Amino acid sequence: MYAFRTSFGPADLCFTDRFGGVSRAPYDELNLSIAGDDDQAAKAENHRLLMADFAPSDVLCDLYQVHGADVVVVEGRPTSARPHADGMVCAQPGVTLIVRAADCVPVLFLAPNQSVIGAVHAGRPGLVAGIVPATVRSMRDLGAGKIQAWIGPHVCGRCYEVPAQMRAEVAAKVPAAYGETSWGTPSVDLGAGIRAQLEDLGVSVHDQSQCTRESTRLFSYRRDGEHAGRHAGLIRLREAP
């Protein structure tokens, strides 16, 4: 069920893998997508199983991800409507933030001293648009001081082939994202680009990345196309004892 799971200060966080759910092939097993052709009942059960293990008493707060730079501040009890955005920040316990990915980068944030959390879905357009810096700014607006960030599984720079012009356009905005595949063609290194943005903002980085295209334990749109499921990053604040 988990590619990585830990507790840090007042928060619990994880990145899921594709095991421990009920979806059938080609979406097997723990497909957390909200779209696609997988059985809706199976996807609902996958979410139930995950939350029963990770945070059984929490409300799950998610997004309709659009590859942009908008950030939602979660206040009060989340509604059932999914905001169109790619980042969330929150300063209240009892809420689990979730972002989904299949090659893009899930990033989880925590300011432990102020109990502020965040979650981001960052693909190539979001990297360029600045979803990561926007989320850091939103956390600081909530009073966050020192921020920690965890970079989750995503397609690596050795595997994310793009046209040369696209690489040049991305690198013009985020130079660290300039990459080359293992077979010598142009690529975008999403992880390196996000790490550079975080470090420029004084955020401490914990790299928990694995390459989604290379690992069959994870979903990958690059590898599996339309039949790729989605794994996720989740973070929550624990209730005060």
Side-chain angles (χ1 to χ4, degrees):
M1 182 171 284
Y2 300 108
F4 172 78
R5 182 178 182 177
T6 193
S7 296
F8 192 101
D12 302 317
L13 60 112
C14 71
F15 298 107
T16 65
D17 60 20
R18 68 185 298 165
F19 300 117
V22 300
S23 291
R24 297 183 178 182
Y27 300 102
D28 49 326
E29 299 169 5
L30 191 68
N31 176 20
L32 300 172
S33 174
I34 58 173
D37 294 332
D38 190 12
D39 180 69
Q40 292 295 327
K43 290 189 288 187
E45 178 64 3
N46 289 341
H47 285 82
R48 189 196 69 79
L49 290 168
L50 174 61
M51 288 301 291
D53 186 77
F54 181 71
S57 62
D58 274 16
V59 175
L60 186 65
C61 185
D62 66 355
L63 301 168
Y64 189 86
Q65 298 167 182
V66 293
H67 292 278
D70 288 334
V71 181
V72 174
V73 179
V74 178
E75 297 177 306
R77 187 175 180 87
T79 67
S80 59
R82 294 184 176 96
H84 286 58
D86 290 272
M88 291 177 285
V89 297
C90 182
Q92 67 183 57
V95 175
T96 293
L97 308 182
I98 181 173
V99 288
R100 300 172 176 87
D103 281 324
C104 297
V105 189
V107 189
L108 304 175
F109 297 85
L110 169 66
N113 293 339
Q114 294 78 31
S115 295
V116 180
I117 57 174
V120 159
H121 158 262
R124 174 183 48 80
L127 171 69
V128 173
I131 181 60
V132 167
T135 302
V136 172
R137 287 194 297 270
S138 292
M139 291 182 68
R140 287 179 171 154
D141 288 344
L142 290 178
K146 183 175 177 58
I147 298 174
Q148 310 276 334
W150 286 259
I151 296 175
H154 60 275
V155 65
C156 73
R158 300 183 306 275
C159 293
Y160 186 17
E161 183 178 37
V162 299
Q165 181 60 32
M166 181 179 290
R167 176 176 68 176
E169 291 169 356
V170 173
K173 295 285 189 178
V174 189
Y178 185 99
E180 184 176 287
T181 65
S182 59
W183 52 96
T185 57
S187 80
V188 168
D189 192 330
L190 295 172
I194 288 170
R195 174 184 279 275
Q197 289 180 328
L198 291 168
E199 290 176 346
D200 285 348
L201 292 165
V203 175
S204 300
V205 178
H206 306 269
D207 190 347
Q208 297 299 327
S209 60
Q210 303 173 46
C211 180
T212 49
R213 187 175 182 271
E214 293 175 335
S215 174
T216 56
R217 295 184 57 85
L218 300 163
F219 294 110
S220 172
Y221 186 87
R222 281 262 157 170
R223 185 186 62 233
D224 302 326
E226 295 292 340
H227 296 301
R230 298 294 186 271
H231 45 258
L234 297 88
I235 188 166
R236 65 184 294 265
L237 291 170
R238 292 188 298 276
E239 297 277 0

